[in-house]
Amino acid sequence: MQTSTRDRIVVATARLLQRQGYVGTGIKQIATESQATLGSIYHFFPGGKEAVAVAAIRHGEQEFAALLKEALDSEPDPAEAVMSCTRDLAAGLKESGWVDGCPVTAAALETLGADSELQKACADALNGWERLVLDKLLGCGFPADDARELATTVISAIEGAEVTAQVNRSEEPLLAAGRQLARLVRSYGIDPPRR
Amino acid sequence: MQTSTRDRIVVATARLLQRQGYVGTGIKQIATESQATLGSIYHFFPGGKEAVAVAAIRHGEQEFAALLKEALDSEPDPAEAVMSCTRDLAAGLKESGWVDGCPVTAAALETLGADSELQKACADALNGWERLVLDKLLGCGFPADDARELATTVISAIEGAEVTAQVNRSEEPLLAAGRQLARLVRSYGIDPPRR
DNA sequence: AATTGGGTAGAGCGTTCGTTCTAGAGCTGT
DNA sequence: ACAGCTCTAGAACGAACGCTCTACCCAATT
């Protein structure tokens, strides 16, 4: 067997959470989609549905972090880097038929009231991504305070633009957000590091 | 009876959708929360759960539009207006214990695949709000192209910042987004209309 | 006084949910 | 050969789901 059963469960769950949220995703659907059985799922995740979801969210976080990191590293200028990021996201979103959005937003919104492990995993994901942007900005010479506020804004705006793009089935909201965020970043008048 | 049964159903459903999404909200919970019975619900909404949800989303759209309009009208300068908006949202979010977020996002994300009436209602809501911002910018003398792109970015960023604020249980993401959006709006160098 | 019809009330339908449970397959070390 | 282990397999449970259905209340109309 190529991939382990456990990995198949996590990956399939991550995709399902992304598309239909936490409550909308059933354990039995996960079993079918991952070609595993209920027995296997409860063997690897004695914590049940929530434990599977937490693992899937963490997987989604890393996957998205990799995409983000690659886009940020591809351009020395942070403004260009942000646009590269929204371009990649827009392309991926369109390719999936507008269903593969942010891997954590849907799950996060459904589990806000109960401060569960799942909710914590979602918060960790958002903060992790924010840190990637923050580091990029700091590396470009932005003052710490400006960089922090910009980083949270960039992640929030991308997050929101992705939802808007999905709902309208259009790349435009993401691309527009990318351009405006680039303008915002440039407005600080900090020269990109030459290499 | 003060409020009609139908109205109680719609209002209660709107709040439930906001907090736990579409799939997470049961018809029987709606009945309990709105002090109605199943019979009443299916009497007023023969279309079942989805019909109730559509009515609730439209109600949420109008409610949020009113808040948005008030905030936008309170300041002549569009940059200040956007910040006033995020301040109001942050205050409301904190007051609700971080659970009463955007009335449509949660429901929208769960119903992306099936192009249902519900999905359309969510798209209408987002576009309606965007138009309010657009009109404000146009009224301040922004060129049409810039205004359009700014308007979608503002709504997307507010949307995303609200989610981030909820997940982190903090006003800061919304306030930061407000400040950065104000900076972005000002970067176009258009004088606010004097009155 | 009788009738009509909008609205209320909730028992019960079939289905699906998350979870538990027992049984067995496939492998390793002795 | 046998015990011991991880992992697979799916039947079965109680609870909850969306929805249908019949029965009833009560104010307005005839």
Side-chain angles (χ1 to χ4, degrees), chain A residues 77-91:
Chain A
D77 176 16
E80 291 293 330
V82 168
M83 283 190 53
S84 157
C85 188
T86 55
R87 264 197 306 267
D88 288 357
L89 286 177

Side-chain angles (χ1 to χ4, degrees), chain B residues 104 113 134 162-163 179 182 184:
Chain B
V104 319
L134 176 61
E162 184 140 32
V163 174
R179 284 190 291 266
L184 176 61

Side-chain angles (χ1 to χ4, degrees), chain A residues 110 149 179 183 187-188, chain B residues 110 149 179-180 183 187:
Chain A
E110 290 172 328
E149 195 157 307
R179 284 189 291 266
R183 182 188 180 99
S187 80
Y188 282 85
Chain B
E110 291 172 328
E149 193 157 308
R179 284 190 291 266
Q180 296 299 316
R183 182 189 181 99
S187 80

Side-chain angles (χ1 to χ4, degrees), chain A residues 19 109-110 112 115 119 123 127 149 153 156 160-161 164 166-169 176-177 179-180 183-184 187-188, chain B residues 19 23 109-110 112 115 119 123 127 149 153 156 160-161 164 166-169 176-177 179-180 183-184 187-188:
Chain A
R19 299 189 176 185
L109 284 177
E110 290 172 328
L112 277 173
D115 44 67
Q119 203 262 338
N127 290 324
E149 195 157 307
T153 302
S156 289
T164 308
Q166 290 184 268
V167 170
N168 289 324
R169 297 169 195 266
R179 284 189 291 266
Q180 295 300 315
R183 182 188 180 99
L184 176 62
S187 80
Y188 282 85
Chain B
R19 299 189 178 186
V23 263
L109 284 177
E110 291 172 328
L112 277 174
D115 45 67
Q119 203 262 337
N127 290 324
E149 193 157 308
T153 302
S156 288
T164 308
Q166 290 185 267
V167 170
N168 288 326
R169 297 169 195 265
R179 284 190 291 266
Q180 296 299 316
R183 182 189 181 99
L184 176 61
S187 80
Y188 283 84

